[in-house]
């Protein structure tokens, strides 16, 4: 008398991976996510490998996790995967400060972000 199995949150030909608490602003992370949207996964991995952005290393890990989820959990073919979605969200913002002149206080915001990558299997046109 156990619980029912959770329904899938994505379609049968999709897999998803999410990475939280990335130490960067969502705006900077979205620049890197825009590099890979709509591309084949091997091309996207190459673009992230040779990107000069610091956060590209973490985005590459998330993409590799989505590919592994597609292959191992959902039985999809890796050669036919594309990056269907790559979207960015805000996470917490640490508030810090620095004393300034005349008794004032300079506010320093240290933002965190999260990224969700969805890969989809599409059949290649011959």
């Amino acid at each position: 008398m156990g619980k029912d199995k959770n329904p899938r949150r994505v379609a049968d030909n999709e897999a998803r991976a999410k990475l939280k608490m990335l130490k960067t602003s969502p705006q900077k992370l979205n620049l890197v996510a825009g590099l890979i949207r709509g591309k084949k996964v091997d091309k996207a991995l190459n673009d992230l490998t040779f990107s000069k952005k610091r956060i590209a290393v973490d985005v590459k890990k998330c993409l590799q996790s989505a590919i592994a989820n597609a292959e191992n959990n959902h039985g999809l073919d890796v050669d036919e995967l594309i990056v269907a979605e790559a979207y960015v969200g805000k996470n917490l913002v640490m508030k810090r400060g620095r004393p300034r002149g005349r008794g004032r206080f300079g506010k320093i915001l240290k933002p965190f972000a999260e990224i969700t990558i969805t890969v989809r299997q599409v059949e290649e046109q011959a």
Side-chain angles (χ1 to χ4, degrees):
M1 177 112 191
K3 287 199 241 177
D4 291 337
K5 186 177 172 183
N6 282 334
R8 285 197 57 185
R9 293 181 178 90
V10 292
D12 289 336
N13 62 340
E14 291 181 348
R16 180 180 288 168
K18 186 169 189 171
L19 201 56
K20 297 181 181 181
M21 294 296 292
L22 291 170
K23 182 61 189 92
T24 187
S25 70
Q27 188 174 4
K28 292 177 185 176
L29 184 58
N30 197 31
L31 291 173
V32 178
L35 285 175
I36 62 172
R37 280 190 194 106
K39 293 185 178 178
K40 292 183 66 66
V41 289
D42 53 348
K43 175 84 169 95
L45 284 172
N46 280 338
D47 289 350
L48 292 173
T49 301
F50 296 109
S51 174
K52 291 185 178 181
K53 303 274 189 187
R54 174 190 62 87
I55 203 65
V57 176
D58 294 323
V59 175
K60 182 180 174 187
K61 284 182 186 178
C62 185
L63 178 58
Q64 287 172 332
S65 176
I67 294 168
N69 288 342
E71 184 179 14
N72 297 324
N73 299 346
H74 307 305
L76 302 178
D77 186 18
V78 178
D79 297 328
E80 296 179 351
L81 292 178
I82 63 163
V83 180
E85 296 175 345
Y87 54 91
V88 174
K90 293 195 313 187
N91 212 309
L92 79 114
V93 177
M94 289 195 307
K95 279 93 172 174
R96 299 292 182 260
R98 182 171 178 82
R100 308 304 292 174
R102 298 185 179 186
R104 289 177 300 189
F105 187 72
K107 189 190 302 186
I108 297 174
L109 302 177
K110 300 189 174 201
F112 285 79
E114 56 187 48
I115 185 167
T116 304
I117 296 178
T118 305
V119 293
R120 182 180 300 140
Q121 180 177 348
V122 293
E123 286 73 26
E124 298 176 358
Q125 293 83 7

